[in-house]
Amino acid sequence: MTERTFSIIKPDATARNLTGQINAMIEEAGLRIVAQRRIRMTQEEAEDFYEVHRERPFYGELVEMMTSGPVVVQVLEGDNAIAKYREIMGATNPAQAAEGTIRKRFAKSVGENSVHGSDSPDNAKIEIAQFFDEADIVG
Ligand code: GDP
């Protein structure tokens, strides 16, 4: 089933000029980048985006990390895009990420782990809508 997922190339990755290499891995996996924008996330945007983690001990650190430099927000489209992207991202903690995944190759730590990908269809919809108008997504 063709679906869409929301992706972020995080500040630790943009700082190391990894956008192109990460995009190559996304495209090689058969996912199409149908919208993409480089932005600086505001404090408010990062707080809203990670609202579900507000009570977690790392929430402050997470918001600080996401606002520490530019990010690339993206919409990816393809067959089973949500699960497929989670698979090529690898585990949250790069020490546990499988060989050949984005996080295994590039992530620095559990916090600075280079990419975000939606974890469910409902969240994908909400996350895409936070950063993109439907008209800016060109499938
Ligand atoms: P994801 O869906 O794989 O991104 O993982 P989660 O939804 O569990 O966590 C969201 C994000 O919070 C992760 O991608 C990390 O950037 C950050 N995070 C998760 N656990 C930790 C932690 O223990 N410490 C820190 N500093 N950040 C964390």
Side-chain angles (χ1 to χ4, degrees), residues 113-126:
N113 60 3
S114 304
V115 282
H116 165 86
S118 308
D119 62 3
S120 70
D122 284 350
N123 284 338
K125 260 201 186 69
I126 292 166

Side-chain angles (χ1 to χ4, degrees), residues 10 12 49-50 52-53 56-63 65-66 86 89-93 103 109-119:
K10 295 183 179 182
D12 69 273
F49 186 76
Y50 280 119
V52 292
H53 292 310
R56 307 281 280 277
F58 56 82
Y59 181 71
E61 221 174 279
L62 176 55
V63 170
M65 183 274 288
M66 291 301 286
R86 297 286 301 184
M89 283 165 54
T92 307
N93 183 345
R103 282 167 166 169
S109 66
V110 68
E112 293 187 299
N113 60 3
S114 304
V115 282
H116 165 86
S118 308
D119 62 3

Side-chain angles (χ1 to χ4, degrees), residues 8-16 65-71 112 114:
I8 305 175
I9 301 177
K10 295 183 179 182
D12 69 273
T14 61
R16 288 176 287 154
M65 183 274 288
M66 291 301 286
T67 56
S68 67
V71 300
E112 293 187 299
S114 304

